[in-house]
Amino acid sequence: KVEVAHNAPDGQEKLRGFDAQVALLDIRLGRTSGIELIPVLKRIRPGIICIMMTGYAATDTAIAALQKGAYDYLRKPLEPKTLLANLERCFEKLRLEKEKAAAENALKQCNQEFQEINARLRAITESTRSLAACPGLEELGRRLLKEFARNMAAEGGSFYFVKENGLVLGHTLDPGHAPDRIG
């Protein structure tokens, strides 16, 4: 899609309602310089690529345009092949920037997942240290149940020991809900 503006105020107005990706600007835009319009357009559309065109080429003008953020500087009369090749480079740049943003977003998501995994691993390491320091089987059962409940976000649970004639309650997180013995 293409829009045409014949002066700087018209160009700014059109850009507010048109999602332009590339702007072809003449150095002379009535009373306004196309070079001075570049930062204005970039404030309206931060990702826009501006290409300067002029029939009055001068090194100082080209340098000033590039310093203001122009992507390229073309001399008139423009050959269609030159203009189309330049536009292809612009759209390729935009495509690459879009891919880069998607890759950065995916990387950010992966980093967040890794941070969550690391946090879980730290919790498991802390639990393991706590369990390894248990002085006896009774204390191990109590700590194991508490760690399991904490890491699994459980509100209740019971730990039983195997005895000769069934299971015997060792520890419970919700007293009154677990029988003392299971045959």
Side-chain angles (χ1 to χ4, degrees), residues 143-154:
R143 284 189 193 178
L144 185 61
L145 186 59
K146 282 187 177 182
E147 289 298 324
F148 183 77
R150 183 174 61 90
N151 287 312
M152 300 301 289

Side-chain angles (χ1 to χ4, degrees), residues 25 39 45 48 62 70-71 77 95 99 112 114 141 143 145 149 178:
L25 303 169
R45 296 262 182 236
I48 197 165
Y71 177 72
R95 184 187 65 76
E99 286 179 8
Q112 184 176 357
F114 284 137
R143 284 189 193 178
L145 186 59

Side-chain angles (χ1 to χ4, degrees), residues 39 57 140:
L140 176 65

